[in-house]
Amino acid sequence: MRILVVEDEKKVASFVKMGLEEESYAVDVSYDGEEGGGLAETNPYDLIILDIMLPKKSGLSVLRELRDKGINTPILLLTARGTVEDKVAGLNAGADDYLAKPFMFSELLARVRSLLRRGGEKSPVLKFADLTMDPVTRKVTRSGVDIMLTSKEYSLLDYFLRRPNQVLTRTMISEHVWESDFDAVTNVIDVYVKHLRNKIDKEFEKKLIHTVWGVGYILKE
Ligand code: CA
């Protein structure tokens, strides 16, 4: 899951980025509304965390422009002024949720998870065949056996589990699992997929991650 954070207060931005990265999200940060809006238009983010008071362009303008352009990525608005007017203006402009600063990271994380879940699945636990992943406890099991994954392997598996039976190209994988400064050397993706397969498939008869030659990978039975 790849998240864009648009926030000019560097301390808040780095605190949010660090916390989300610890939760295995790929995070890009922008410090002004103009650049942030541009990034949001050109990259396939799964969620945008958008401050309202920003240099160059306000968060509300960025939000309206994105919605006008038909970009419906979930947006969580942040503001220092937790007034009812701000909240109403934000929600009217198409924000999905709203959080007043200062906030605890755990509060932010709960909103982030809830917004990412609205994509469809009712249960927060992701399942495919005998493989399960619980985003809250971060526990991954196959046939009831616990599997320990590194942070990147976890993000990668999370992406596969949210798009079962779909061919995922290396570009799609790099865009959703890595930050934008990641140098998309497809080799790196292949190495991570190999590590992931060693953990979730190697010991099991039925393989779940398959190579689609010349294209990418697919999670299927
Ligand atoms: Ca601000």
Side-chain angles (χ1 to χ4, degrees):
M1 296 276 114
R2 185 169 167 202
I3 298 176
L4 173 64
V5 177
V6 190
E7 164 63 270
D8 58 313
E9 280 172 70
K10 301 231 157 117
K11 266 190 186 165
V12 178
S14 65
F15 153 79
V16 168
K17 178 178 166 72
M18 200 164 55
L20 290 173
E21 284 177 348
E22 279 170 12
E23 296 294 322
S24 301
Y25 296 107
V27 182
D28 291 336
V29 172
S30 172
Y31 303 112
D32 71 68
E34 220 167 76
E35 186 200 54
L39 284 171
E41 280 175 33
T42 47
N43 296 294
Y45 292 105
D46 300 291
L47 175 77
I48 299 167
I49 298 174
L50 183 62
D51 189 28
I52 289 185
M53 302 284 280
L54 288 169
K56 295 190 184 171
K57 195 185 277 181
S58 84
L60 285 179
S61 308
V62 172
L63 171 60
R64 284 195 197 98
E65 286 178 20
L66 290 174
R67 294 303 187 238
D68 284 347
K69 287 179 178 148
I71 296 168
N72 291 315
T73 312
I75 293 181
L76 172 62
L77 278 183
L78 296 182
T79 186
R81 305 169 304 164
T83 66
V84 177
E85 293 77 37
D86 271 0
K87 182 172 178 171
V88 170
L91 296 175
N92 279 340
D96 297 272
D97 203 353
Y98 182 95
L99 189 59
K101 290 193 274 189
F103 52 82
M104 305 274 288
F105 183 74
S106 56
E107 255 181 293
L108 176 83
L109 184 61
R111 307 286 178 102
V112 164
R113 283 183 177 144
S114 143
L115 287 172
L116 290 172
R117 254 202 315 272
R118 278 186 206 172
E121 76 266 31
K122 287 191 183 68
S123 156
V125 177
L126 299 169
K127 282 189 188 142
F128 186 80
D130 55 355
L131 185 65
T132 69
M133 168 185 270
D134 184 336
V136 177
T137 61
R138 299 171 65 79
K139 192 174 151 112
V140 175
T141 67
R142 179 140 192 215
S143 285
V145 180
D146 284 3
I147 296 171
M148 302 304 289
L149 298 179
T150 64
S151 180
K152 242 353 170 207
E153 291 162 0
Y154 181 92
S155 318
L156 193 55
L157 182 59
D158 178 81
Y159 186 56
F160 275 112
L161 282 169
R162 288 172 197 274
R163 286 158 189 80
N165 302 307
Q166 289 178 41
V167 176
L168 304 178
T169 64
R170 291 180 179 81
T171 306
M172 288 164 76
I173 293 170
S174 79
E175 284 179 347
H176 284 271
V177 181
W178 274 271
E179 303 70 25
S180 61
D181 54 7
F182 169 69
D183 186 10
V185 186
T186 55
N187 249 348
V188 175
I189 293 164
D190 294 339
V191 169
Y192 276 97
V193 171
K194 188 176 167 210
H195 289 164
L196 182 61
R197 281 172 143 173
N198 279 341
K199 292 186 180 175
I200 69 156
D201 273 343
K202 201 176 171 190
E203 307 292 323
F204 299 88
E205 199 182 331
K206 199 198 278 173
K207 309 299 177 199
L208 298 178
I209 295 176
H210 303 267
T211 304
V212 181
W213 292 108
V215 185
Y217 298 95
I218 186 168
L219 178 73
K220 64 170 188 179
E221 286 196 68

